[in-house]
Amino acid sequence: MKEIAVIGAGTMGNGIAHVFAMKGYKVALIDIAESALEKAMATIEKNLDRMVRKERITEGDKLTTLAGITTYTDMKQGVAGRDLIIEAATENIDLKLKIFKNLDELAAPNAILATNTSSISITKIAAATQRPDKVIGMHFFNPVPVMKLVEVINGYATDPQVTAEIMDMSKGLGKVPVEVKDYPGFAANRILMPMLNEAFYTLYEGVSGVQEIDTVMKLGMGHPMGPLQLADFVGLDVCLAILEVLHKGFGNPKYAACPLLVNMVTAGKLGRKSGEGFYDYSAKGKDLVVAQQFA
Ligand code: 3HC
């Protein structure tokens, strides 16, 4: 299996294309917007340049990796003849169902259809196709070239042979795959999001400040980023959407999103991508600046 396609050229999609191309796969990177594809290729090049600077790869490796990625705005052309298609579009259930219905018609009959969803049911996505046995979750973590984990999620009907292939392929990428079942939040976000939500409540209830909460978890627990910085990095809208999936899926009030998070998302403060969340990213300096609201 050496020819794959990635749908969606955002942060996750370009990272996935990057890691596959670095391992010699021929990658079709597909997005409806030409501008998103251009931005994605520039990001991949920047991340490869960083690896060249750190002497992890050579300039030649960088050029071979870039040459291994072809961009498409036409899904039919992009997926033709590919063995594996990984969907990494926006986390929106209606959009994903539509993409999988199309993919089922356009992709080769034997192709595996994977989704990088962080919280939407694999079984539900698979049910939009005529090949639910070949649909699987392949959940990467941001930044994809750095984070070792791939959460491999079996839908209700996923063929164990398909799971075995995806586990092997993930190992071949230099990642560590972990197999999980298809229940709300899978394993990673079921554990991560309540922890982040508790950090939001700790701030909301005035127990401590933004920097203090992050310092507690960085220095006390050895986390590379504090929970509020990590929430900004992931996107506060994404955190809210996943908490809602957990809350609805389990019907347990312990997953109810903190009202502060809801207000911030409503106000358009989405974290790093919008320029402000718990921290203010408008100043480009190296030090994190706490957003005015919490300073
Ligand atoms: N692409 C490629 N490489 C990158 C990168 C990127 N975007 N960002 C950083 N790196 C590399 C650097 O080159 C460096 O490599 P080296 O250590 O081998 O020399 C390494 O990552 C560390 O980078 P820096 O020294 O510049 O920065 P930090 O030490 O601050 O590390 C970090 C940055 C790796 C992002 C670290 O802070 C971290 O691990 N944070 C936690 C990230 C995390 O938890 N991600 C998961 C989010 S949850 C998710 O994605 C699931 C979703 O469903 C919600």
Side-chain angles (χ1 to χ4, degrees):
M1 211 190 254
K2 275 291 182 193
E3 300 209 2
I4 71 136
V6 178
I7 297 184
T11 310
M12 299 306 284
N14 77 56
I16 295 168
H18 171 144
V19 297
F20 273 93
M22 256 187 46
K23 290 290 175 184
Y25 286 83
K26 285 201 177 321
V27 180
L29 181 59
I30 307 167
D31 201 290
I32 42 170
E34 187 64 49
S35 57
L37 291 167
E38 281 165 16
K39 196 169 158 217
M41 291 308 291
T43 302
I44 294 170
E45 185 163 5
K46 194 180 82 192
N47 287 332
L48 288 167
D49 276 335
R50 186 196 333 233
M51 296 176 92
V52 173
R53 271 201 313 278
K54 299 211 168 194
E55 297 183 355
R56 297 276 152 75
I57 59 169
T58 64
E59 183 69 25
D61 297 330
K62 173 190 136 183
L63 297 176
T64 315
T65 302
L66 288 171
I69 306 173
T70 311
T71 58
Y72 294 87
T73 47
D74 184 301
M75 187 147 99
K76 187 173 177 185
Q77 276 179 17
V79 303
R82 304 280 157 170
D83 310 301
L84 167 70
I85 294 129
I86 305 173
E87 170 276 320
T90 311
E91 196 69 354
N92 172 307
I93 177 102
D94 294 332
L95 176 67
K96 289 200 195 275
L97 294 179
K98 193 169 149 219
I99 290 175
F100 273 78
K101 196 166 178 302
N102 284 342
L103 275 181
D104 195 28
E105 285 159 15
L106 300 175
N110 279 332
I112 295 176
L113 309 183
T115 171
N116 179 58
T117 181
S118 50
S119 63
I120 295 170
S121 160
I122 308 303
T123 307
K124 193 164 193 170
I125 292 173
T129 75
Q130 301 299 315
R131 58 176 104 184
D133 54 324
K134 294 193 173 59
V135 176
I136 192 161
M138 203 175 182
H139 184 202
F140 290 83
F141 292 79
N142 187 19
V144 182
V146 182
M147 306 309 280
K148 287 271 183 204
L149 179 66
V150 180
E151 204 179 22
V152 175
I153 307 126
N154 291 314
Y156 191 83
T158 308
D159 180 345
Q161 185 56 40
V162 169
T163 309
E165 271 184 63
I166 295 298
M167 293 290 286
D168 281 350
M169 182 186 265
S170 303
K171 287 178 199 159
L173 293 174
K175 301 290 186 196
V176 178
V178 170
E179 208 180 316
V180 306
K181 294 199 177 89
D182 183 24
Y183 288 105
F186 317 131
N189 280 322
R190 181 172 179 168
I191 299 166
L192 175 65
M193 289 302 159
M195 193 270 281
L196 299 189
N197 203 32
E198 207 55 41
F200 308 148
Y201 269 111
T202 308
L203 178 69
Y204 173 66
E205 291 172 4
V207 176
S208 204
V210 170
Q211 263 167 333
E212 290 77 5
I213 290 167
D214 277 353
T215 300
V216 164
M217 297 306 283
K218 278 194 289 187
L219 301 190
M221 277 23 107
H223 292 194
M225 285 177 170
L228 301 176
Q229 185 190 357
L230 180 58
D232 275 357
F233 181 64
V234 167
L236 301 188
D237 52 340
V238 175
C239 295
L240 179 59
I242 299 172
L243 282 164
E244 284 172 352
V245 167
L246 288 166
H247 193 198
K248 190 160 173 245
F250 291 114
N252 187 328
K254 77 176 176 179
Y255 296 112
C258 174
L260 172 62
L261 175 71
V262 176
N263 267 359
M264 289 175 77
V265 173
T266 308
K269 306 294 181 194
L270 307 182
R272 217 153 81 160
K273 66 183 161 192
S274 76
E276 190 185 316
F278 295 101
Y279 293 94
D280 180 351
Y281 300 90
S282 57
K284 295 272 180 232
K286 223 177 170 322
D287 291 333
L288 274 175
V289 177
V290 175
Q292 189 61 38
Q293 156 101 0
F294 306 105

